[in-house]
Amino acid sequence: MLNTTRSCLWLWLLVLGLLLFTTNGAYVPITYVQSAVAKGAVCLDGTPPAYHWDKGYGTGINSWLIQLEGGGWCNNVSSCLVRKNTHLGSSKRMVKQIPFSGILNKKRIFNPDFYNWNRIKVRYCDGSSFTGDVAAVNPVANLHFRGARVWLAVMEDLLSKGMRNAENAILSGCSAGGLASILHCDSFRALLPMGTKVKCISDAGYFINTRDVSGGHYIQTFFDQLVATHGSAKNLLPSCTSRMKPGLCFFPQYIAQQIRTPLFIINAAYDSWQIRNILAPGIADPHGHWESCKLDLKNCLPSQIKTSGYNSWLHCFD
């Protein structure tokens, strides 16, 4: 009986593994934009930006789907120095190939709308949602705040490889990449031919400006520091920065209505990341009253559910 149970378990695991492999599809190799270094378009550690590209074919040969990688942000030299030694700050730390899943999948059965498009995953290594541009290199930490240059260098590389002939183009992203897809939506459209059909998709990128559980403005302060550290102000929407301080222009609620390109926003009503990091960050909950709730919605007290005002736990998905 025990052997039979073990055999069934191994068979189930084998089937699950094969299913996951089939769903994820093939691995796609990395492309380094070496020419970007001369333009100062580099990751936090000075290495070249990178992306993964699965080429389109057939009816999708002139259609392009760009997905911007997520991964939070760094708001000062200390936090950026930590990122510098990870794949979120250095292309040297990135894996050489990644599986394409979700809307990047190459299999028609799993991705009927985009399976044969040019599908690109742009790696995220600047910590500012591709908005930073400080000319001087930090002399102590040797940090480069060049996210906006990285964005442009990658786009120019893709344009030279055929995206300038795009008939359809979608800019998408998840989490910090989802925010970047909002911030760069109109500039993405401006790079493409006049007749190109362009749309933008933000998945879990609608971060809200709200008070935390202590009554403070933790996330607003964080974004203020981020914008100052990375020199992001000049790369945010002028229609927003002319009306309010630049840090606020990192919040989609103040800029989404000003974007002219069709924009589709996907966001859980109860975003787990935002609950943990915006509503109840550790600094606003020193006694840990929200710790259990942040781990599992089932543990939340009625008063906490009411405070959060949401009803789901998702943050980001393919």
Side-chain angles (χ1 to χ4, degrees):
M1 180 67 177
L2 181 59
N3 288 334
T4 301
T5 301
R6 286 177 176 172
S7 297
C8 291
L9 177 60
W10 280 111
L11 180 60
W12 182 82
L13 291 174
L14 177 61
V15 171
L16 179 61
L18 289 173
L19 179 60
L20 289 174
F21 177 79
T22 302
T23 303
N24 285 337
Y27 280 74
V28 179
I30 197 167
T31 296
Y32 300 100
V33 189
Q34 298 289 355
S35 61
V37 177
K39 305 172 185 176
V42 293
C43 300
L44 285 170
D45 71 337
T47 52
Y51 61 85
H52 302 257
W53 176 24
D54 200 3
K55 296 182 180 180
Y57 63 91
T59 58
I61 197 167
N62 287 321
S63 295
W64 294 72
L65 172 61
I66 313 294
Q67 186 175 74
L68 305 176
E69 184 180 25
W73 312 272
C74 57
N75 63 320
N76 53 41
V77 170
S78 297
S79 60
C80 290
L81 195 55
V82 173
R83 289 175 74 99
K84 176 184 173 183
N85 297 313
T86 73
H87 71 280
L88 291 172
S90 171
S91 59
K92 290 191 300 185
R93 305 283 183 171
M94 297 173 184
V95 295
K96 298 299 186 290
Q97 54 182 5
I98 61 173
F100 271 17
S101 59
I103 62 173
L104 296 179
N105 201 302
K106 68 183 297 181
K107 294 185 180 296
R108 186 172 187 172
I109 187 174
F110 298 118
N111 187 22
D113 295 308
F114 310 115
Y115 72 96
N116 66 345
W117 284 33
N118 292 281
R119 287 157 287 111
I120 295 93
K121 181 89 165 188
V122 179
R123 302 305 298 268
Y124 179 38
C125 64
D126 66 273
S128 71
S129 285
F130 301 95
T131 63
D133 191 358
V134 177
V137 178
N138 182 276
V140 178
N142 194 34
L143 286 167
H144 302 71
F145 301 112
R146 307 282 180 74
R149 297 193 198 186
V150 167
W151 154 262
L152 187 57
V154 171
M155 292 302 108
E156 288 177 343
D157 196 58
L158 293 173
L159 287 167
S160 72
K161 293 178 177 177
M163 195 169 72
R164 62 164 50 96
N165 300 316
E167 297 172 357
N168 302 286
I170 294 176
L171 179 65
S172 67
C174 188
S175 194
L179 175 58
S181 71
I182 296 175
L183 296 174
H184 289 288
C185 186
D186 281 343
S187 63
F188 176 65
R189 185 184 66 170
L191 291 170
L192 297 164
M194 186 70 69
T196 307
K197 295 179 181 177
V198 183
K199 294 179 174 61
C200 302
I201 302 173
S202 173
D203 178 1
Y206 200 100
F207 299 94
I208 59 173
N209 184 22
T210 188
R211 291 181 182 272
D212 57 49
V213 292
S214 71
H217 294 276
Y218 171 77
I219 191 62
Q220 182 177 317
T221 301
F222 182 94
F223 280 163
D224 285 342
Q225 295 169 346
L226 185 162
V227 168
T229 297
H230 289 268
S232 300
K234 56 182 171 291
N235 297 308
L236 300 174
L237 266 66
S239 57
C240 178
T241 56
S242 64
R243 296 182 297 108
M244 55 185 68
K245 62 180 183 177
L248 291 175
C249 299
F250 233 70
F251 292 102
Q253 67 204 72
Y254 302 122
I255 61 173
Q257 292 183 337
Q258 301 167 39
I259 294 172
R260 294 166 295 171
T261 307
L263 172 64
F264 298 85
I265 295 173
I266 305 168
N267 226 95
Y270 191 104
D271 188 322
S272 61
W273 190 93
Q274 296 198 58
I275 296 304
R276 294 194 303 268
N277 297 282
I278 294 181
L279 180 65
I283 193 171
D285 181 35
H287 302 295
H289 296 310
W290 281 76
E291 282 303 313
S292 182
C293 176
K294 289 191 291 184
L295 290 173
D296 191 332
L297 176 63
K298 297 176 183 176
N299 299 332
C300 296
L301 300 172
S303 59
Q304 291 173 319
I305 294 292
K306 184 177 181 179
T307 299
S308 63
Y310 306 119
N311 56 25
S312 171
W313 268 107
L314 297 175
H315 171 62
C316 192
F317 52 91
D318 288 321

